[in-house]
Amino acid sequence: ILVVAKIGGEIFVRYLRLPAVIGELVGGVIIGPFALGDLIPVYNLGQLFEKPSEAVAIPVSSELFAFAQVAAIVLLFVVGLETNLKLFIKYISPASLVAVGGVVVPFFLGVYATILFDFADGFSDPKALFVGAAMTATSVGITARVLSERKKLDVPEGVTILAAAVLDDVLAILVLTVVVGVAETGEVSIIDVLDVGWKALAFLAVLLGGGIFLAKHISRLVLSLKVSGASVAIALALAFLAAGLAESFGLAMIIGAYAMGLSLSNTELAKTLEAPISAVYNALVPIFFVVLGMMVDLTAFSDAIVFGIVLSILAIFGKVLGSGLPAMAVGFNKIGAVRIGFGMLPRGEVALIIAQVGLAAGVIGRDIFGVVILMTIVTTLLAPIILVPAFERGGLGTRS
């Protein structure tokens, strides 16, 4: 996986002038269990990556999937360390409007398209609701990687994208809660939705606020240790702790890791961590993107290819317009709105997880699951291809 990640990244960076993350994703598709992985035998071990049965929601081994999640935690922790905390606080309010628009518009486009193509009977059909929920997702990992590589984590558009993506995670959880409730009982419990929502938001506020309050004390304590490698080890321990706590409160692990990194970003510890954490980042993070590519089954959407293409187009317009137009309403110009819209575009692992919940529950079949996969592939690959030139052309993204 590491060799494929680096070769794929090299090809895309050197010859195609595209971000390394795309090469890692494509490399994962090629060696995954739905492609060469199931065809290459390994002596005394079976296939390199064996093709799973249709009943399996996650098509890679639990050990490999867990390892990839560790890599994702490292990715978002480092992104948090590199984010400008003052800018994040400044742009959290406009990011809220961007996040809401980026959830509401794609959700209704997804639901309507599912009904239009006769895959669902109406707006209350769980099949349509699951597609709509998958359309709301924003993969903060994909965009964060591109922004980090291009040194755009401390510009207004970059900070707004990351803040909106974090809020999108909370909103996506609420949407998924509603959809699962409808699928299981045929009705929505407002009390359950509010309960999940306030717990998630309260935890995020406490973690971020408490982390910022204690950051300088943590920094001094860690830097006072004399044992070799103490700073990077304890910093990662804090990231894993925050990730685990976030998961226990119903948020994605990577949001907790990002909040911890953001809390420490303005400390002396963050400066000390630059070199050692970069080495850990370069070794582990590509694994996450290769494994994400390995989860893609290109044959799954063959029975609904037209629906998949239309849904992918709607997914693009849904995020670009749903997030871009609110961005213009809160102080960004057209350049900034385009950057934010396409920065919110990739669905990545978040959409796959939502689709897997529906598949495992028997609410959606392989056809709709495949359509969501196609939409995920298109948005995930397209975002970095467009986002990089959007930033490289230059120009201020704000009106003042």
Side-chain angles (χ1 to χ4, degrees), residues 111 114-115 119-130 179 182 363:
V111 170
T114 310
I115 298 169
F119 282 92
D121 296 328
F123 282 91
S124 61
D125 192 320
K127 294 185 180 69
L129 295 176
F130 262 102
V179 171
V182 171
V363 176

Side-chain angles (χ1 to χ4, degrees), residues 348-372:
E349 74 286 355
V350 183
L352 290 176
I353 290 170
I354 291 174
Q356 286 160 5
V357 170
L359 183 66
V363 176
I364 63 173
R366 298 293 296 183
D367 50 357
I368 292 181
F369 182 73
V371 165
V372 173

